[in-house]
Amino acid sequence: MHHQFVHKKQVATIPGVAFTLIFFAVFSISERFTRKRGAAHTELDQFNLEPGEDLTPDTLGVRPGNVLIMVRDYNTLYNLGAMLDRVDTRRQDIVVLHMRLLARAASGEHELTPEQLFSGKEQELFTRALALAEKKGKTIHLAVASATEKWDGILRAAQSLRSSCIVLGLSPSRPVTDEARVAGLAWERLPNPKPQLTLEICSPNGQEHVFYLGPHAPNLTPKEIELLHSIWLQLSNEVAPAELHHHDVVHFALDELQGEIRNKKREEVLAGLREHLQEIQDRRGPHLRKAGSDGT
């Protein structure tokens, strides 16, 4: 098994938000090694420091469309465990990323000593991540990066790696819906072309909250489809001989809503929307799996 620590310093700026990718570490564990029964687990005691390159699929040795799994504590790797059970790493790569949050220096530059590049806690974090992958017979690629803003750092890493999905555990300080809202706002600040990304937030009990970042087709429920069809039936004969499609109803309704938001009915619309959201929340209950939810 080969472990390589790559150091890279790069400063970039997103309008209004400082983002600094300071370094990343690259570790890979082969499929052959992870499937070898009885192999003694190797501790990450030695690291090879080398000049690094940009964090890309090529430098990390992964394919585009990979799954980016964020880890922060070696005692809370349940999101990694869930993805290892689900993902076939022969077809889709798994990148495990630990993001360091740095206080921004006045110059925007950060100098790190070799001792700071990989802490004991990070060593233990990656050791346990590798052990979990080894147990499940899967390949993983590990990385460390630093940023001055959490979500700007995560999304820039996902954009650079051409990831298709970001997976997190529960935040200790932020509710799931608020986490997704902040992620959506950070997505808007990404430079073009912005990637289509799925965000999955996992709970220790196996509950999953799925959100989509950026423009995407809504995941309509049967009730919403039935309502759309009912409106179409009511209007199609009224506008004949003009041809009316279901998507025409949606487009017209969205234009009408946009117009109301922009005029004096904005507060009335917001009051109605809040009431609608509360009714939905009451029906769902606190323990319903929120698969296919919109992120913003």
Side-chain angles (χ1 to χ4, degrees), residues 70 79 150-151 154 166-170 179 199-202:
M70 305 304 302
N79 58 327
K150 171 186 170 179
W151 272 108
I154 292 173
I166 301 171
V167 183
L168 285 80
L170 289 178
E179 186 85 278
L199 169 62
E200 294 192 28
I201 301 178
C202 302

Side-chain angles (χ1 to χ4, degrees), residues 241-294:
E243 186 176 5
L244 181 69
H245 300 279
H246 287 67
H247 66 81
D248 295 321
V249 175
V250 174
H251 194 170
F252 177 75
L254 292 175
D255 282 341
E256 288 293 299
L257 178 61
Q258 182 72 279
E260 292 185 356
I261 291 174
R262 288 174 176 171
N263 63 28
K264 296 180 180 179
K265 292 185 178 181
R266 180 182 181 87
E267 292 304 319
E268 182 181 336
V269 169
L270 288 174
L273 178 59
R274 292 189 183 100
E275 182 179 350
H276 174 71
L277 293 175
Q278 186 60 54
E279 291 175 355
I280 291 175
Q281 183 63 37
D282 292 342
R283 290 198 301 267
R284 284 176 176 169
H287 303 298
L288 183 64
R289 181 181 183 269
K290 299 174 71 175
S293 300
D294 290 339

